[in-house]
Amino acid sequence: MAETLRHVEDMVDNSPAVDVHETFHLYQELLAELKAKIDARFELQRDPSTLELESYGQYPDGPGGSLAAYSGPEVDWMVHSWLGNPSASFANLHLTVWLGPQVKVPHLGLALLVWPEGWFYLDSVPRVNLISDGAYYDSYYAPLDADWLAHRADPEFEYFVSRAGFIRASLSPTAYCYSFGRSARNLDIVRKLTHEHVDRWLRWVDEAPPVPEHERAALAETDLRMRRNIAERDPANVMGVRFFGQETTDKLVRGLWGGDRKSARP
């Protein structure tokens, strides 16, 4: 049960500069597969505020990226994005779905990183205080505990402990957050875990009871505060500043939480 406690920029700076396009493309394919499942379930439209972020930077001749955000009747904000310089060791990819207030199903959080070792984050972001709502914990987290503990014992995955206390506080009890060697075996495990997670999450959405109308506005506002805080406080934002400067990074961060959105919220 080894652990990693390092800043992202330190991991990149203290590693050899190598071309990681093979893993980058594997990650892109994996996120495309997962997004296709989500697209098949929800009615989604691209938010116009992110059209200018379809491609930015100098990739493939240097750092670059892409950020696309979507919303719909059941989805407040979905982000499909990547940022980095795969020719020089680093790429960070995201697929996150923040649901609308019609259900209280946890939000979907998923990130893949190469630096040049592998890293992944996978979580069910809670919509309530788990300590005060034991039934919510029993529904969405208790059934995952055994599998989470089994993976925690895998010696080829090092549990990643963020140096930022706020980020640690944002993780659920069954969050996957690991560094790993980029072997075929480990990448296959990441593929399996992410597909199983998305399939289960989609079932949760289908089976969830509706939230009473009078509770939805407060839930939507709580969701937005959470999403904005996580985006703005992410320690990895420093890599965006390094690659693209503060102004572009600020625009990207707003894209992650919907600060410039044009579409109505559900």
Side-chain angles (χ1 to χ4, degrees), residues 130-176:
L130 297 180
I131 304 302
S132 65
D133 194 336
Y136 192 88
Y137 173 85
D138 291 341
S139 293
Y140 297 119
Y141 300 93
L144 310 183
D145 205 38
D147 287 343
W148 184 89
L149 288 169
H151 184 77
R152 185 77 168 86
D154 190 321
E156 296 195 34
F157 285 79
E158 291 190 4
Y159 192 71
F160 182 84
V161 181
S162 175
R163 297 182 68 90
F166 183 87
I167 299 302
R168 296 196 303 272
S170 74
L171 300 178
S172 85
T174 56
Y176 289 79

Side-chain angles (χ1 to χ4, degrees), residues 74 76-77 96-101 103-110 121-127 136 141 197 201 204 219-220 222-224 226-227 230:
E74 297 177 86
D76 190 7
W77 201 244
T96 58
V97 184
W98 293 77
L99 290 163
V103 293
K104 282 189 179 178
V105 172
H107 303 301
L108 175 69
L110 199 165
Y121 155 79
L122 182 63
D123 201 7
S124 308
V125 183
R127 315 278 290 278
Y136 192 88
Y141 300 93
H197 188 93
W201 178 78
W204 286 349
L219 180 60
T222 297
D223 288 341
L224 181 59
M226 289 170 54
R227 184 165 72 241
I230 291 171

Side-chain angles (χ1 to χ4, degrees), residues 25-262:
H25 291 318
L26 284 173
Y27 283 168
Q28 286 185 310
E29 292 170 4
L30 174 56
L31 290 194
E33 293 168 5
L34 300 172
K35 182 176 179 291
K37 292 182 175 183
I38 295 167
D39 288 342
R41 168 59 181 79
F42 297 103
E43 177 186 337
L44 295 165
Q45 297 293 329
R46 177 77 176 267
D47 191 89
S49 68
T50 64
L51 292 175
E52 64 178 299
L53 300 174
E54 177 66 27
S55 178
Y56 60 87
Q58 301 172 324
Y59 183 79
D61 299 320
S66 173
L67 190 154
Y70 305 82
S71 64
E74 297 177 86
V75 172
D76 190 7
W77 201 244
M78 180 175 87
V79 175
H80 182 212
S81 67
W82 75 269
L83 174 154
N85 187 0
S87 296
S89 303
F90 180 76
N92 188 7
L93 300 84
H94 286 254
L95 181 62
T96 58
V97 184
W98 293 77
L99 290 163
Q102 74 284 344
V103 293
K104 282 189 179 178
V105 172
H107 303 301
L108 175 69
L110 199 165
L112 304 170
L113 180 69
V114 55
W115 50 269
E117 293 305 306
W119 181 93
F120 82 110
Y121 155 79
L122 182 63
D123 201 7
S124 308
V125 183
R127 315 278 290 278
V128 304
N129 184 317
L130 297 180
I131 304 302
S132 65
D133 194 336
Y136 192 88
Y137 173 85
D138 291 341
S139 293
Y140 297 119
Y141 300 93
L144 310 183
D145 205 38
D147 287 343
W148 184 89
L149 288 169
H151 184 77
R152 185 77 168 86
D154 190 321
E156 296 195 34
F157 285 79
E158 291 190 4
Y159 192 71
F160 182 84
V161 181
S162 175
R163 297 182 68 90
F166 183 87
I167 299 302
R168 296 196 303 272
S170 74
L171 300 178
S172 85
T174 56
Y176 289 79
C177 193
Y178 288 90
S179 302
F180 59 92
R182 291 183 292 127
S183 66
R185 180 254 188 194
N186 292 342
L187 289 166
D188 283 346
I189 288 174
V190 172
R191 175 180 293 276
K192 177 176 181 291
L193 288 172
T194 53
H195 269 283
E196 289 177 348
H197 188 93
V198 169
D199 290 344
R200 178 174 54 243
W201 178 78
L202 290 170
R203 289 196 302 272
W204 286 349
V205 173
D206 287 340
E207 297 168 359
V211 173
E213 288 284 349
H214 69 276
E215 297 179 8
R216 295 185 183 186
L219 180 60
E221 288 311 302
T222 297
D223 288 341
L224 181 59
R225 287 196 301 270
M226 289 170 54
R227 184 165 72 241
R228 181 172 183 173
N229 281 334
I230 291 171
E232 293 184 340
R233 293 169 179 257
D234 187 345
N237 291 343
V238 68
M239 297 302 296
V241 176
R242 176 183 296 190
F243 287 148
F244 311 112
Q246 190 66 57
E247 182 177 353
T248 297
T249 300
D250 289 345
K251 184 180 296 185
L252 294 172
V253 170
R254 292 196 303 273
L256 293 176
W257 68 267
D260 298 326
R261 74 183 296 161
K262 305 298 183 184

